[in-house]
């Protein structure tokens, strides 16, 4: 999946790949929670993160896997995983900036 760019790359270890497979699922939960907390649609939340990624961090299409581009739910989940899996790229950094709004 990583080789055909359908999943973001990991360091190649089994543990890293397993962790990366699970983390986006937690991202889906976070997406739902933020939407519920803010009263914004999940699409609005996605647009905020994507906007930060492009405007603030200069994100390009290459900063996300093909799967992350399939729909906004997968974009958010993959951005969350990228933010929590080592060195975040432009999209992962935007996710961290967005999540900072809700951290106490």
């Amino acid at each position: 999946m990583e080789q055909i760019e359908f999943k973001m790359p990991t360091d190649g270890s089994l543990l890293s790949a397993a962790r990366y497979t699970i983390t986006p699922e937690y991202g889906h939960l976070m997406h739902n929670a933020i939407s519920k907390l803010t009263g914004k649609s999940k699409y609005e939340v996605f647009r905020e993160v994507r906007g930060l990624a492009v405007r603030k961090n200069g994100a390009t299409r290459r900063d996300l896997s093909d799967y992350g581009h399939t729909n906004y739910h997968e974009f958010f989940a993959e951005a969350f995983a990228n933010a929590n899996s080592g060195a975040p790229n432009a999209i992962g950094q935007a996710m961290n900036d967005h999540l900072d709004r809700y951290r106490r």
Side-chain angles (χ1 to χ4, degrees):
M1 297 294 274
E2 291 176 41
Q3 291 173 348
I4 62 170
E5 297 182 357
F6 199 68
K7 182 176 176 182
M8 294 295 286
T10 66
D11 66 8
S13 74
L14 182 59
L15 180 61
S16 181
R19 180 175 179 226
Y20 195 85
T21 299
I22 294 166
T23 306
E25 300 311 316
Y26 187 67
H28 287 298
L29 295 173
M30 291 298 295
H31 197 188
N32 291 336
I34 291 170
S35 178
K36 193 170 197 173
L37 175 72
T38 63
K40 296 177 182 175
S41 73
K42 288 191 273 184
Y43 183 73
E44 290 173 294
V45 175
F46 146 76
R47 286 189 55 160
E48 289 175 355
V49 175
R50 185 184 65 184
L52 278 172
V54 172
R55 284 189 317 275
K56 183 178 177 187
N57 303 332
T60 68
R61 181 167 177 80
R62 300 288 308 166
D63 289 314
L64 202 65
S65 76
D66 289 344
Y67 189 53
H69 288 288
T70 61
N71 63 57
Y72 63 92
H73 302 286
E74 298 308 332
F75 172 98
F76 191 95
E78 192 164 289
F80 181 84
N82 183 268
N84 290 284
S85 299
N89 65 18
I91 292 175
Q93 292 168 4
M95 177 59 73
N96 280 329
D97 290 343
H98 186 76
L99 293 176
D100 281 345
R101 299 175 183 177
Y102 308 106
R103 292 183 176 129
R104 294 181 182 174

